[in-house]
Amino acid sequence: MKMSNLYMPTLRQVPAEAEIPSHQLLLRAGMIRKLVSGVYSYLPLGYRSIRKIENIVREEMDKKGAQELLMSAIQPRELWEASGRWDNFGPEMFKLKDRNDREFCLGPTHEEYFTNLIKDEVNSYKQLPLIIYQIQTKYRDEKRPRFGVIRAREFIMKDAYSFDVDEESMKLSYQKMWDAYDAIFTRLKLNYKVVQGDTGAMGGKISHEFMAMSDVGEGRIAYCKDCDYAATDEKADVVIKVENNEPMMEIEKVYTPDIRTIDELTEFLNIDKNRFGKAIIYKASGKPIVVLIPGHRELNETKLINYLKIAEHELEMADENTIREISLADKGFTGPIGIKDARIIVDKRITFMRNIVVGANETNYHLRNVNYGRDFEAEVVEDLLLVEEGDICPKCGSKLYIDRGIEVGNIFQLGTKYSKSLNATFLDENGKEREFVMGSYGVGVSRSLAAIVEQYHDEKGIVWPFVVAPYHVIITIINTKKEEQYALGQKLYDELTKKGIEVLLDDRNESAGVKFNDRDLIGIPVRITVGKFANEGIVEFSLRKSNEKEDLKAEEVYDRIITAFKEEGFEQ
Ligand code: ATP
Ligand code: MG
C-alpha cells in the first residue's frame, strides 16, 4: 500500500476522554474512530489488525473441530423470556420493536439463539459432541462505556457454544476450548493469566477468564505464587481469621457527633478498624437490606448478588430516605440492632467477632460491645468479602498477590440451564430423551486489539508484534523528489510485496520528521529508510521495538525481514 493513497487520519491531539494508552494510540494512529459513546468504526489500518485477530481465532477454533457459522444480531423477545434473561440482562440490553410492535433485542450474547437452533436440528446423541461458533458484532448498553474498544457498546466477539451428551463429555469440550484459547492468546503475544471466574448471570458453576495483564485493566486478579490458584476478585474466596475469645461486655451507647465513616470512627474512638461492624445499606429488587461486614474489609457485591439470586442491575445503594426509614437515623449511624423492615445479612466473620462497634440506629450515636447471637441475629453468609493482597491462599495457605488484567476471553460450563429452559433435548443411546449439556466460550476480538496495544507501546506509539501488525514493513522515502531514492523505494516495495511481505511505502510528500513520527505512531515492526545512500543501493533497516539501526544492501533486506520474523516466532 502506498501511503499517498492510504486513508490513515492520524491525530496530534486526542480527546481528553481517552484516558489510557491503547485508547489514545488507536485514535491517534487513525485505526479507530468514535461515532458516539461506546460505538467505534475500524478504519483501514485498524481493520487489518482486527481481521488478523479474527483469523487467528478462526484457525485455532477450527483446529479443535469447532465450526463457524453466522447468526443474526436481531433476536426475538420470546427466546429471552424462555431463559428468564429478558429481564435479567436489564438495562444492558438494547431493545427494539418492529412495525408490528413485536419486541426484539440486539444480541448481547447468543446462548438462547444457539440452543434454539440446535434444538430443532440435532436430535440424536450420534450428532454430538458439537461445537459451533461465530465472529460477530455484539451489542450491550454498558453502564460505563470507556477505554475505547475495551468497554464498548458495540463490539466484535467470537462466541462459541458446545453441546454434549453429559457432564463428562462437556468437560472435554471445555478443555478443548481452553486449549484453543491458550493457543490464541499465545499467538497474539499477550502476557495473560487464566483465572477462575464468577459465573453470575450466565448460569452454570465453573468458569475461567483469560486476563491480559495490564495496570489499566478493569479486572482485579488474586493469585498465588506458590500454587496455581488464581481467581478474579469477584470470585476469590477470602480466608481470614477474626476469632477472639474475649468475654462479652455490656453494651454501651457512645456519643459520636457527626462521626460517620469507619475512618472517622477509628480516629475518634481510637479503636482498630477490625473492631467495627460496617453496615452497608442497599436496595435489592427494591427492598432494603442491611449488610454487615468486618470494619477493616470491603464488601464483594458479586458475592452478595449471587447470594440474593438477583440480577446485577437489581442491586443499588439505598438512598438517604430509605436509610432513615429502616434505621430511624441519618446515614452513617446504621447498625444491626433495631432495624425495621429490612433483611439483615452478615458475613460469617461477624459471628466470631467480640464486642464490636456498630451504628446505634440513632443519629450521632454508636454502640460498643455488641455481640452476634446475644444482641442480634441475621442471615449469615459464609463469605461476602472482597479479596485483598496479603490474604491467605485458599488452596495452599500461602500469600495472595493482586494484579490487574483486561478480560479478553472467558469459558463457561453452563450445564443444562439453557437446554432445560428452552426444552432442547436429544435421544440418547437408549432412546431416552435428555437435555444437552452445554458450554459457552467468548473472545473479545476488538477488546484484544486494545489489550495488545496496552502491552505493546512506548512513548512514541504502538509497537505491533508481527502477527497483528496492519503491515509488516514500512519503507520510508526520505526525499521523494530525489529520483534515486524514489526509484529504490519503489523497487524494494515491489519486490517485497511480490514475495508476500505486507509493505507500506511512505511516498508522501512530507518532511522526514512527519514520516518518522507517523511510522512510530502506527507501530509497523520493520522500518526501512531509503535516504542519502540510495544511489549506492544501501538502505537503513531497524526494528520498531529495538530501534537499532543497520545499513543493508537492498538485496539483503528480504532475508533480514525473514530473520526478524523468525526471531519473533512469526510464520506468515
Ligand atoms: P466484562 O466482565 O468485562 O463486562 P463479560 O463477563 O460481560 O465481560 P462476556 O459476556 O463473557 O463478558 O463476553 C465475552 C468476551 O467479550 C469478554 O471476555 C470480553 O473480552 C468481551 N467483551 C465483553 N463485554 C465487552 C464490551 N463491552 N466491549 C468489548 N468487549 C467486550
Ligand atoms: Mg459485562
Side-chain angles (χ1 to χ4, degrees), residues 280-283 301 315-319 322-323 331:
I280 307 146
I281 307 104
Y282 287 98
K283 272 187 157 174
E301 288 189 352
L315 187 74
E316 50 180 355
M317 296 307 285
D319 53 86
T322 308
I323 294 175
K331 189 176 174 189

Side-chain angles (χ1 to χ4, degrees), residues 149-161:
V149 295
I150 287 188
R151 187 164 298 284
R153 299 198 295 167
E154 181 190 271
F155 56 96
I156 305 171
M157 194 205 285
K158 185 284 300 172
D159 47 327
Y161 306 84

Side-chain angles (χ1 to χ4, degrees), residues 376-408:
F376 71 101
E377 286 192 349
E379 293 171 52
V380 178
V381 184
E382 206 58 41
D383 177 21
L384 282 175
L385 304 185
L386 194 64
V387 69
E388 275 176 18
E389 183 142 293
D391 277 353
I392 296 164
C393 169
K395 192 165 170 191
C396 77
S398 193
K399 188 181 139 183
L400 286 181
Y401 293 81
I402 306 265
D403 264 344
R404 289 196 162 270
I406 301 168
E407 181 196 316
V408 283

Side-chain angles (χ1 to χ4, degrees), residues 339-440:
I339 282 287
K340 288 200 336 184
D341 303 326
R343 285 167 78 174
I344 305 175
I345 298 171
V346 301
D347 175 77
K348 181 94 178 255
R349 267 73 42 137
I350 287 285
T351 67
F352 301 126
M353 291 165 77
R354 285 285 166 270
N355 304 320
I356 58 176
V357 178
V358 295
N361 293 326
E362 186 179 336
T363 302
N364 291 339
Y365 287 94
H366 280 80
L367 297 177
R368 263 188 152 138
N369 304 331
V370 168
N371 290 283
Y372 182 84
R374 183 190 72 177
D375 305 319
F376 71 101
E377 286 192 349
E379 293 171 52
V380 178
V381 184
E382 206 58 41
D383 177 21
L384 282 175
L385 304 185
L386 194 64
V387 69
E388 275 176 18
E389 183 142 293
D391 277 353
I392 296 164
C393 169
K395 192 165 170 191
C396 77
S398 193
K399 188 181 139 183
L400 286 181
Y401 293 81
I402 306 265
D403 264 344
R404 289 196 162 270
I406 301 168
E407 181 196 316
V408 283
N410 60 16
I411 53 180
F412 289 93
Q413 296 186 6
L414 297 173
T416 53
K417 174 176 160 131
Y418 297 93
S419 44
K420 197 174 251 137
S421 55
L422 291 158
N423 206 8
T425 58
F426 63 96
L427 295 178
D428 73 7
E429 284 165 319
N430 306 315
K432 206 177 139 232
E433 194 168 325
R434 282 165 65 167
E435 284 147 356
F436 295 101
V437 182
M438 293 175 54
S440 84

Side-chain angles (χ1 to χ4, degrees), residues 339-555:
I339 282 287
K340 288 200 336 184
D341 303 326
R343 285 167 78 174
I344 305 175
I345 298 171
V346 301
D347 175 77
K348 181 94 178 255
R349 267 73 42 137
I350 287 285
T351 67
F352 301 126
M353 291 165 77
R354 285 285 166 270
N355 304 320
I356 58 176
V357 178
V358 295
N361 293 326
E362 186 179 336
T363 302
N364 291 339
Y365 287 94
H366 280 80
L367 297 177
R368 263 188 152 138
N369 304 331
V370 168
N371 290 283
Y372 182 84
R374 183 190 72 177
D375 305 319
F376 71 101
E377 286 192 349
E379 293 171 52
V380 178
V381 184
E382 206 58 41
D383 177 21
L384 282 175
L385 304 185
L386 194 64
V387 69
E388 275 176 18
E389 183 142 293
D391 277 353
I392 296 164
C393 169
K395 192 165 170 191
C396 77
S398 193
K399 188 181 139 183
L400 286 181
Y401 293 81
I402 306 265
D403 264 344
R404 289 196 162 270
I406 301 168
E407 181 196 316
V408 283
N410 60 16
I411 53 180
F412 289 93
Q413 296 186 6
L414 297 173
T416 53
K417 174 176 160 131
Y418 297 93
S419 44
K420 197 174 251 137
S421 55
L422 291 158
N423 206 8
T425 58
F426 63 96
L427 295 178
D428 73 7
E429 284 165 319
N430 306 315
K432 206 177 139 232
E433 194 168 325
R434 282 165 65 167
E435 284 147 356
F436 295 101
V437 182
M438 293 175 54
S440 84
Y441 317 90
V443 169
V445 170
S446 40
R447 184 183 280 185
S448 291
L449 178 81
I452 295 167
V453 177
E454 282 306 328
Q455 291 188 359
Y456 294 91
H457 70 269
D458 61 17
E459 67 291 344
K460 290 183 179 156
I462 304 169
V463 187
W464 291 113
F466 282 115
V467 264
V468 286
Y471 289 87
H472 304 139
V473 175
I474 182 164
I475 299 173
T476 307
I477 302 171
I478 298 266
N479 186 345
T480 45
K481 296 209 175 77
K482 293 251 157 82
E483 191 68 28
E484 67 281 7
Q485 289 188 22
Y486 193 85
L488 184 61
Q490 183 73 48
K491 183 165 165 269
L492 255 179
Y493 170 75
D494 288 340
E495 282 172 9
L496 294 174
T497 305
K498 218 171 273 163
K499 288 181 170 157
I501 310 278
E502 297 171 19
V503 191
L504 275 180
L505 177 67
D506 198 347
D507 57 346
R508 294 176 301 169
N509 195 10
E510 297 278 0
S511 73
V514 166
K515 292 180 187 173
F516 289 158
N517 284 342
D518 278 350
R519 76 177 181 187
D520 285 350
L521 176 61
I522 64 176
I524 307 301
V526 170
R527 306 179 301 192
I528 310 285
T529 314
V530 183
K532 55 182 181 232
F533 299 116
N535 50 359
E536 297 165 41
I538 288 177
V539 298
E540 188 189 87
F541 175 100
S542 65
L543 294 177
R544 170 71 176 88
K545 66 180 175 195
S546 66
N547 208 20
E548 280 162 31
K549 302 187 170 90
E550 306 164 41
D551 282 341
L552 292 182
K553 289 196 204 120
E555 313 82 83

